[in-house]
Amino acid sequence: QVQLVESGGGLVQPGGSLRLSCAASGSIFSINDMGWYRQARGKQRELVARITRYGSPNYADSVKGRFTISRDNAKNTVYLQMNSLKPEDTAVYYCNADVVVTSRALLSSWGQGTMVTVSS
């Protein structure tokens, strides 16, 4: 019913920047919170940042001051601007959205993930 498609991952040198995007489509009535999570090899998936429908963000301590989450409600899209990237930011980044579908049911939807590699 709902598809989330991420883009913007890739290889970047330490200190560099990347911008991730995630667009939601399908039987969407509205979207509540949206967020980004990441999973490094051999580790559990962890929260990176989330943002409410009204634009209020929260961040993991490890990315505060370096990453910025934003959203465009008209486009059902969430963004993650990542600056001052470190090797420890290397992970698969997943988009998540709490979607109210047209039947008014609430679904927590996930994207397929996009790889971010920070290496020289």
Side-chain angles (χ1 to χ4, degrees), residues 18-104:
L18 281 175
R19 188 191 194 213
L20 305 183
S21 300
C22 172
S25 62
S27 303
I28 298 171
F29 176 75
S30 66
I31 303 178
N32 296 333
D33 289 7
M34 302 183 82
W36 291 94
Y37 292 73
R38 67 186 181 188
Q39 186 166 19
R41 184 175 299 180
K43 295 187 177 181
Q44 291 188 328
R45 190 174 298 189
E46 63 176 4
L47 170 70
V48 176
R50 286 187 71 80
I51 187 168
T52 69
R53 176 173 181 78
Y54 304 102
S56 179
N58 68 82
Y59 299 95
D61 287 343
S62 59
V63 306
K64 282 181 181 177
R66 300 188 297 122
F67 290 9
T68 302
I69 189 171
S70 61
R71 63 188 286 174
D72 184 332
N73 290 336
K75 296 181 179 179
N76 290 333
T77 299
V78 64
Y79 306 95
L80 186 69
Q81 177 66 44
M82 304 185 293
N83 298 329
S84 302
L85 282 160
K86 304 175 181 180
E88 51 263 43
D89 294 318
T90 296
V92 178
Y93 284 69
Y94 296 92
C95 173
N96 172 259
D98 293 335
V99 180
V100 179
V101 295
T102 50
S103 66
R104 304 302 190 266

Side-chain angles (χ1 to χ4, degrees), residues 1-4 24-28 97 99 101 107 109-110:
Q1 284 183 308
V2 176
Q3 298 81 40
L4 299 182
S25 62
S27 303
I28 298 171
V99 180
V101 295
L107 299 180
S109 300
W110 291 87

